Amino acid sequence: MPLSVAAATAAAMTVLGAATSADASPEAPTAGAPAAAVPAAAVHADGASADVVPAPGAASAPAPRADLSHHGSVSLWGDRVAIRIRSENLGPSDVTASTVRLRFSAPLAASQELPYGCLRGGETTVLCETGGLRSAGGARQTALDLTLAGGPDEVVVRLDTVWNGGARDADRKNDVHEVLAPATGDAYAF
């Protein structure tokens, strides 16, 4: 899935997730806004992506199984936040492409220089493609150095997979993380 399609899918999932949450966010849809861009079965109650249900009448082949894993660190100092991500696939099937979403509790500065394969998904969101991940193969590294709007005392970074090549991932504990990083300049691991 191209990154632009993953961005659109992630935006739709954010809209669906916001519509079911009790607290409204700036990204929440307005009354009457369409929220049917992604089938409801494709989103967990917590906003995480799920196995997509095939369209009626479509041949349904079993989805390949994979176990994506993201680990790394977050550092915050002043208005700068550095994120290092190590993405890998623990198998059993290869993943042709994947996209990781990073959501921040503080807005990002309007002007950002993002690494190749990353794009803005909103005021507080960045999406990065990790490329194909072979089963039990080498890990892919992603490094982001971003500027936040203002200099918060802390930032919460939420990281999850929004596209995994259509594979079924039964273990979401190792690719969904939430990290609190105080503005100490220290690296906080996830």
Side-chain angles (χ1 to χ4, degrees), residues 61-88:
R65 291 185 348 223
D67 183 11
L68 296 188
S69 173
H70 306 293
H71 295 287
S73 65
V74 177
S75 300
L76 175 67
W77 65 100
D79 65 348
R80 304 290 300 171
V81 62
I83 299 144
R84 304 295 179 256
I85 306 167
R86 181 177 189 265
S87 300
E88 62 185 320

Side-chain angles (χ1 to χ4, degrees), residues 130-169:
T130 60
L133 297 169
R134 296 189 56 179
S135 174
R140 298 263 182 151
Q141 306 288 330
T142 305
L144 295 108
D145 292 305
L146 305 171
T147 305
L148 298 173
D153 292 333
E154 64 185 26
V155 67
V156 175
V157 179
R158 293 172 185 87
L159 178 138
D160 63 337
T161 302
V162 292
W163 175 248
N164 64 4
R168 185 172 70 75
D169 189 342

Side-chain angles (χ1 to χ4, degrees), residues 79 104-110 112 120 122-125 147-152 155:
D79 65 348
F104 301 87
S105 61
L108 298 165
Q112 294 289 330
R120 293 284 294 262
E123 184 178 277
T124 60
T125 305
T147 305
L148 298 173
V155 67

Side-chain angles (χ1 to χ4, degrees), residues 4-151:
S4 59
V5 176
T9 303
M13 285 192 284
T14 300
V15 169
L16 287 174
T20 60
S21 92
D23 57 346
S25 71
E27 298 175 351
T30 56
V38 174
V43 180
H44 290 286
D46 64 356
S49 59
D51 296 332
V52 176
V53 177
S60 60
R65 291 185 348 223
D67 183 11
L68 296 188
S69 173
H70 306 293
H71 295 287
S73 65
V74 177
S75 300
L76 175 67
W77 65 100
D79 65 348
R80 304 290 300 171
V81 62
I83 299 144
R84 304 295 179 256
I85 306 167
R86 181 177 189 265
S87 300
E88 62 185 320
N89 175 11
L90 305 175
S93 299
D94 292 346
V95 170
T96 57
S98 67
T99 303
V100 65
R101 173 176 51 185
L102 299 147
R103 292 177 287 171
F104 301 87
S105 61
L108 298 165
S111 177
Q112 294 289 330
E113 188 168 329
L114 297 173
Y116 178 79
C118 294
L119 59 79
R120 293 284 294 262
E123 184 178 277
T124 60
T125 305
V126 173
L127 298 153
C128 294
E129 80 185 330
T130 60
L133 297 169
R134 296 189 56 179
S135 174
R140 298 263 182 151
Q141 306 288 330
T142 305
L144 295 108
D145 292 305
L146 305 171
T147 305
L148 298 173

